[in-house]
Amino acid sequence: MDTSRSAAAARPPVVSLRRRGSVLERAILEAALERLSTVGWNGLTMEGVAAGAQTGKAAIYRRWPSKEDLVADALRRALPPMGDAPDSGNIRDDLYQLCRTLRDGMLSKSGTALRSVLHECDASTAERFQSVILHSVIAPSTDLIREVVSRGVDRGEVRPDALRGLAFDVIPAMMMYRSKVCGSEWSDGDIAELIDQVAMPFFRSGTR
């Protein structure tokens, strides 16, 4: 009996996925995020991404010359939009809901991938992702906080001199610090404490 022939016949046929253009790019980017969120930055390889996307490494390198370029593009396209600022009629509830939105984004697949980059990259590599973090995370977050606080000023809940640039960095900075350094996943109770013990005493108007 020809054992090599029978063994070959028993193996399932290799399926070649003939994808091109945006379809192939999307598959590669999704595979990169999936691998990044499961094995982390240090475990991510172009070989692993190629296997996940069921394509060859050459197809990846034609589009992204390095792992850093691939991951930056994957994060840029996948990080969820922040949406509109909540407007419940009081600043405490608005900030609480906004922080829950930030937390949910941090726990999404793309957010988990971003955290692995922040946790594992050395300083020089992390610089490659600064623009992604600034334009996709920090700037949208601070813009929404500014909008919520401005409404609070109009309602007399917030002291007008609280409308300063650094004031809007406090909440996202605290959340990112606790997530990166302490491994916090920010339960609803943690968010309530952040709002009640840090944000509200800082923003609150002395007349209320």
Side-chain angles (χ1 to χ4, degrees):
M1 180 179 179
D2 188 339
T3 56
S4 61
R5 181 178 300 175
S6 61
R11 288 196 295 267
V14 176
V15 178
S16 176
L17 299 180
R18 296 184 176 278
R19 296 159 301 169
R20 301 179 185 277
S22 61
V23 175
L24 178 57
E25 285 190 4
R26 185 164 57 250
I28 294 170
L29 292 170
E30 289 176 355
L33 282 179
E34 179 65 31
R35 296 290 295 170
L36 193 58
S37 63
T38 53
V39 304
W41 170 261
N42 291 328
L44 182 72
T45 63
M46 293 300 225
E47 291 84 354
V49 174
Q54 295 182 269
T55 189
K57 284 195 300 180
I60 300 177
Y61 281 114
R62 279 198 297 270
R63 294 163 172 82
W64 300 279
S66 70
K67 183 170 94 168
E68 291 82 1
D69 291 315
L70 171 61
V71 169
D73 199 13
L75 291 171
R76 189 179 297 109
R77 299 195 198 191
L79 285 168
M82 295 293 298
D84 298 327
D87 188 8
S88 66
N90 73 86
I91 186 173
R92 194 270 177 193
D93 291 346
D94 288 347
L95 289 175
Y96 175 75
Q97 186 56 50
L98 182 53
C99 285
R100 291 185 67 197
T101 300
L102 288 172
R103 185 269 318 275
D104 292 346
M106 291 167 63
L107 296 179
S108 67
K109 180 185 291 187
S110 55
T112 300
L114 175 60
R115 283 189 293 152
S116 77
V117 170
L118 294 175
H119 292 182
E120 299 177 36
C121 281
D122 57 35
S124 61
T125 303
E127 288 181 1
R128 299 284 301 274
F129 302 101
Q130 284 183 346
S131 64
V132 177
I133 296 169
L134 175 63
H135 293 104
S136 299
V137 180
I138 302 299
S141 301
T142 54
D143 286 346
L144 293 178
I145 293 170
R146 182 181 290 105
E147 183 177 344
V148 166
V149 173
S150 296
R151 288 178 187 154
V153 171
D154 294 340
R155 291 192 296 260
E157 298 175 291
V158 176
R159 53 191 176 84
D161 64 348
L163 290 174
R164 306 284 179 87
L166 286 178
F168 309 122
D169 291 333
V170 172
I171 290 175
M174 186 72 175
M175 294 186 74
M176 293 187 73
Y177 160 75
R178 288 283 298 273
S179 174
K180 179 176 181 178
V181 177
C182 307
S184 172
E185 292 193 349
W186 287 100
S187 68
D188 288 352
D190 292 334
I191 290 174
E193 289 183 0
L194 172 63
I195 299 305
D196 294 334
Q197 296 178 21
V198 178
M200 289 307 299
F202 179 83
F203 288 125
R204 186 178 290 119
S205 170
T207 62
R208 294 180 66 89

Short mmCIF file of all heavy atoms in Angstrom, two decimals, residues 78-82 98-115 137 175:
data_model
loop_
_atom_site.label_atom_id
_atom_site.label_comp_id
_atom_site.label_asym_id
_atom_site.label_seq_id
_atom_site.Cartn_x
_atom_site.Cartn_y
_atom_site.Cartn_z
N ALA A 78 -9.97 51.27 13.60
CA ALA A 78 -10.88 50.44 14.39
C ALA A 78 -11.35 51.07 15.69
O ALA A 78 -12.38 50.65 16.22
CB ALA A 78 -10.22 49.09 14.70
N LEU A 79 -10.61 52.03 16.23
CA LEU A 79 -11.04 52.60 17.51
C LEU A 79 -12.43 53.21 17.37
O LEU A 79 -12.69 53.98 16.44
CB LEU A 79 -10.04 53.66 17.97
CG LEU A 79 -8.72 53.11 18.52
CD1 LEU A 79 -7.70 54.22 18.67
CD2 LEU A 79 -8.97 52.42 19.87
N PRO A 80 -13.36 52.86 18.26
CA PRO A 80 -14.75 53.28 18.10
C PRO A 80 -14.90 54.78 18.29
O PRO A 80 -14.20 55.40 19.11
CB PRO A 80 -15.48 52.52 19.22
CG PRO A 80 -14.42 52.23 20.23
CD PRO A 80 -13.15 52.03 19.47
N PRO A 81 -15.81 55.41 17.55
CA PRO A 81 -16.05 56.85 17.74
C PRO A 81 -16.66 57.11 19.11
O PRO A 81 -17.37 56.27 19.66
CB PRO A 81 -17.02 57.19 16.60
CG PRO A 81 -17.71 55.90 16.28
CD PRO A 81 -16.69 54.82 16.52
N MET A 82 -16.40 58.28 19.64
CA MET A 82 -16.88 58.62 20.97
C MET A 82 -18.37 58.97 20.99
O MET A 82 -19.03 58.86 22.01
CB MET A 82 -16.08 59.80 21.52
CG MET A 82 -14.61 59.50 21.75
SD MET A 82 -14.36 58.31 23.06
CE MET A 82 -15.06 59.20 24.43
N LEU A 98 -20.30 59.66 30.42
CA LEU A 98 -19.19 59.83 29.49
C LEU A 98 -18.02 58.92 29.88
O LEU A 98 -17.39 58.30 29.01
CB LEU A 98 -18.75 61.29 29.49
CG LEU A 98 -17.62 61.68 28.55
CD1 LEU A 98 -17.92 61.25 27.12
CD2 LEU A 98 -17.38 63.18 28.61
N CYS A 99 -17.74 58.79 31.17
CA CYS A 99 -16.66 57.91 31.62
C CYS A 99 -16.99 56.44 31.34
O CYS A 99 -16.09 55.65 31.04
CB CYS A 99 -16.39 58.11 33.10
SG CYS A 99 -15.51 59.63 33.47
N ARG A 100 -18.24 56.07 31.43
CA ARG A 100 -18.63 54.70 31.08
C ARG A 100 -18.38 54.44 29.60
O ARG A 100 -17.94 53.35 29.21
CB ARG A 100 -20.09 54.45 31.43
CG ARG A 100 -20.39 54.42 32.92
CD ARG A 100 -21.83 54.06 33.19
NE ARG A 100 -22.10 52.68 32.80
CZ ARG A 100 -23.32 52.19 32.61
NH1 ARG A 100 -24.39 52.97 32.76
NH2 ARG A 100 -23.48 50.93 32.27
N THR A 101 -18.65 55.44 28.76
CA THR A 101 -18.37 55.30 27.33
C THR A 101 -16.86 55.13 27.09
O THR A 101 -16.44 54.30 26.29
CB THR A 101 -18.89 56.52 26.56
OG1 THR A 101 -20.31 56.63 26.75
CG2 THR A 101 -18.59 56.40 25.07
N LEU A 102 -16.06 55.94 27.81
CA LEU A 102 -14.61 55.81 27.69
C LEU A 102 -14.16 54.42 28.13
O LEU A 102 -13.33 53.78 27.47
CB LEU A 102 -13.92 56.87 28.55
CG LEU A 102 -13.98 58.32 28.08
CD1 LEU A 102 -13.41 59.24 29.16
CD2 LEU A 102 -13.23 58.50 26.78
N ARG A 103 -14.71 53.94 29.24
CA ARG A 103 -14.36 52.62 29.76
C ARG A 103 -14.72 51.52 28.77
O ARG A 103 -13.93 50.61 28.52
CB ARG A 103 -15.08 52.41 31.09
CG ARG A 103 -14.76 51.13 31.86
CD ARG A 103 -15.69 49.96 31.52
NE ARG A 103 -17.07 50.27 31.41
CZ ARG A 103 -17.93 50.33 32.45
NH1 ARG A 103 -17.52 50.12 33.68
NH2 ARG A 103 -19.20 50.62 32.23
N ASP A 104 -15.91 51.61 28.18
CA ASP A 104 -16.34 50.59 27.22
C ASP A 104 -15.43 50.57 26.00
O ASP A 104 -15.13 49.51 25.43
CB ASP A 104 -17.80 50.82 26.81
CG ASP A 104 -18.77 50.57 27.96
OD1 ASP A 104 -18.35 49.98 28.97
OD2 ASP A 104 -19.93 51.00 27.85
N GLY A 105 -14.99 51.77 25.58
CA GLY A 105 -14.06 51.83 24.46
C GLY A 105 -12.73 51.19 24.80
O GLY A 105 -12.12 50.50 23.99
N MET A 106 -12.26 51.39 26.05
CA MET A 106 -11.00 50.79 26.49
C MET A 106 -11.08 49.28 26.56
O MET A 106 -10.07 48.59 26.38
CB MET A 106 -10.62 51.36 27.85
CG MET A 106 -10.22 52.83 27.82
SD MET A 106 -10.14 53.59 29.47
CE MET A 106 -8.84 52.63 30.23
N LEU A 107 -12.29 48.74 26.80
CA LEU A 107 -12.46 47.30 26.93
C LEU A 107 -12.86 46.63 25.61
O LEU A 107 -12.98 45.41 25.56
CB LEU A 107 -13.51 46.99 28.00
CG LEU A 107 -13.15 47.41 29.43
CD1 LEU A 107 -14.29 47.07 30.39
CD2 LEU A 107 -11.86 46.75 29.89
N SER A 108 -13.09 47.43 24.55
CA SER A 108 -13.40 46.85 23.24
C SER A 108 -12.17 46.15 22.69
O SER A 108 -11.06 46.27 23.23
CB SER A 108 -13.86 47.94 22.27
OG SER A 108 -12.78 48.82 21.99
N LYS A 109 -12.34 45.41 21.60
CA LYS A 109 -11.20 44.71 21.01
C LYS A 109 -10.11 45.70 20.61
O LYS A 109 -8.92 45.48 20.90
CB LYS A 109 -11.63 43.90 19.79
CG LYS A 109 -10.47 43.15 19.12
CD LYS A 109 -10.90 42.45 17.85
CE LYS A 109 -11.82 41.28 18.15
NZ LYS A 109 -12.11 40.48 16.93
N SER A 110 -10.50 46.79 19.96
CA SER A 110 -9.49 47.77 19.55
C SER A 110 -8.89 48.47 20.76
O SER A 110 -7.71 48.80 20.78
CB SER A 110 -10.10 48.79 18.57
OG SER A 110 -11.24 49.41 19.14
N GLY A 111 -9.71 48.71 21.80
CA GLY A 111 -9.19 49.32 23.02
C GLY A 111 -8.22 48.40 23.73
O GLY A 111 -7.19 48.85 24.25
N THR A 112 -8.53 47.11 23.78
CA THR A 112 -7.62 46.14 24.38
C THR A 112 -6.31 46.08 23.60
O THR A 112 -5.22 46.00 24.18
CB THR A 112 -8.26 44.74 24.40
OG1 THR A 112 -9.47 44.80 25.17
CG2 THR A 112 -7.33 43.71 25.01
N ALA A 113 -6.42 46.15 22.27
CA ALA A 113 -5.21 46.17 21.44
C ALA A 113 -4.37 47.41 21.73
O ALA A 113 -3.14 47.33 21.84
CB ALA A 113 -5.61 46.11 19.96
N LEU A 114 -5.03 48.55 21.85
CA LEU A 114 -4.30 49.78 22.15
C LEU A 114 -3.61 49.70 23.51
O LEU A 114 -2.46 50.11 23.66
CB LEU A 114 -5.26 50.97 22.13
CG LEU A 114 -4.67 52.32 22.52
CD1 LEU A 114 -3.53 52.71 21.60
CD2 LEU A 114 -5.74 53.40 22.53
N ARG A 115 -4.29 49.13 24.49
CA ARG A 115 -3.69 49.02 25.82
C ARG A 115 -2.46 48.11 25.80
O ARG A 115 -1.49 48.35 26.51
CB ARG A 115 -4.72 48.52 26.83
CG ARG A 115 -5.70 49.61 27.27
CD ARG A 115 -6.56 49.14 28.41
NE ARG A 115 -7.46 48.09 28.01
CZ ARG A 115 -7.93 47.16 28.83
NH1 ARG A 115 -7.55 47.14 30.10
NH2 ARG A 115 -8.77 46.24 28.40
N VAL A 137 -8.21 59.15 20.64
CA VAL A 137 -8.61 58.90 22.03
C VAL A 137 -8.63 60.19 22.85
O VAL A 137 -9.67 60.61 23.36
CB VAL A 137 -7.69 57.86 22.70
CG1 VAL A 137 -8.13 57.63 24.15
CG2 VAL A 137 -7.70 56.55 21.93
N MET A 175 -7.92 57.76 34.12
CA MET A 175 -8.38 56.46 33.65
C MET A 175 -7.26 55.69 32.96
O MET A 175 -7.11 54.48 33.16
CB MET A 175 -9.58 56.63 32.72
CG MET A 175 -10.83 57.18 33.42
SD MET A 175 -12.30 57.22 32.36
CE MET A 175 -12.71 55.47 32.29
#
